[in-house]
Each structure stands twice: as C-alpha cells, then as structure tokens.
Amino acid sequence: MNTKILPILSRRSIRTYTRQPVTDDEVRALLEAAMSAPSAMATDPWRFLVLRDRAALSALADILPHGKMLNEAPLGIVVCGELARAHRQELSYLLQDCSAAVENLLLAAHLLGLGAVWLGVHPNEDRVSGIRARFGVPEDILPLAAIAIGRPAEHPAPRTRYNAASVHTGQW
Ligand SMILES: Cc1cc2nc3c(=O)[nH]c(=O)nc-3n(C[C@H](O)[C@H](O)[C@H](O)COP(=O)(O)O)c2cc1C
C-alpha cells in the first residue's frame, strides 16, 4: 500500500458524533471543497442546503430511513443539483458532478478532523419529495444526497477494498 493515499483509505463513514459543534470556518471549507470537484464543462450544477438547527436536522432524520444519526449530528448538508445548469441538461451529468462534490466534501471533512456519512436520497422518490416539502426546495432542484457531519465519536480503522478481480488490464 502506498502511504501517500492514506488520507483516502482512512476516510470512513462516521455515524456517531460528540456534542461539539462544527464551526462556520469548517462549514465554509467543506463547501469550498465540494465546489472544487470536477464537473462536466465546469458547469458546477450543484446546490447545497446547509442545516444546523436541531429541529431541521431531526426533520431530515425523519425523512431518511437510514439517516437517524442526524438526530445527534450538529450539521447536515443536502447536496442538490440544478438540471438546467448541468452539461446538456442531462441527469447523468448532474449526478456525476454532484457525486464528485459529495466525495470531495467527505474527504474534506476527514482532513478537517470531522466525521461524515453519505446518506442516499435520489432516486428514492419519497425522500426527494419529503425534502422538497419540508425545506422548500423548488421542483427544478433535485436533492440527491444528504451528509451527516460532526466531530467523530468513533474511529474505524483505515482499510482498503482493493480487489484485483475488479481490474481488467489492456483488454477485458
Ligand atoms: C449512494 C450512497 C448512499 C448511502 N446511503 C447511506 C445511508 O443511507 N445510511 C448510511 O448509514 N450510510 C450510507 N452510505 C454509506 C455506505 O454505507 C458506506 O460508504 C459503505 O458502507 C462503505 O463504508 P465506508 O464509507 O466506511 O468506506 C451510502 C453511500 C453511498 C455511496
């Protein structure tokens, strides 16, 4: 294993958090990292809904069946996409760009000493419509992932999921 990629291998999903808040500077850094992701033709179609209010975080936890850790997290960010701004207005480009932004945000959280977990929203229609209704997200904006963020209260070990069977070299 090349230790230079350790910051990537040691990013793990963190689902329990201490009571310490996330600072404004850290929120800004997370968003800056997310918006530094690659996007097709640099269209940057991502939009972000930042939630720090306890009632809002609990409401999001109610909408996401596997997002109950939001009840304890000091910060939640819903990553959304604006189809009209995506390359060729294609959903596939929107999803690829926004997924890159999510991963950048997760890695930035880890580098900042925070812990975070990706929570699936799209393509579950009940989650998408629940978020739209509760947070006033317009119809032309697609909520596609939520991220619970806080200071880690668990420290899972770095691991590799390298699988040689997934690699085809030269020809399939
Ligand atoms: C599209 C997507 C949706 C996910 N949804 C959830 C979720 O709803 N709840 C959750 O606890 N983890 C969720 N995860 C996190 C995965 O369970 C996790 O990344 C995977 O088990 C690998 O573990 P690691 O992140 O620690 O490497 C999701 C990940 C992705 C990419």
Side-chain angles (χ1 to χ4, degrees), residues 101-151:
V102 173
E103 180 64 6
N104 260 23
L105 200 157
L106 293 177
L107 287 171
H110 179 51
L111 292 172
L112 291 167
L114 300 170
V117 58
W118 181 328
L119 305 172
V121 176
H122 174 85
N124 300 280
E125 253 323 305
D126 52 336
R127 302 180 201 176
V128 170
S129 59
I131 289 172
R132 280 197 213 289
R134 173 59 178 79
F135 299 105
V137 177
E139 279 299 317
D140 61 328
I141 303 290
L142 175 68
L144 66 98
I147 307 169
I149 305 157
R151 300 199 177 278

Side-chain angles (χ1 to χ4, degrees), residues 11-13 15 66 69 117-120 159 161:
R11 181 222 52 84
R12 298 291 313 277
S13 290
R15 300 180 173 88
H66 308 294
M69 70 294 283
V117 58
W118 181 328
L119 305 172
R159 67 171 176 192
R161 306 214 299 285

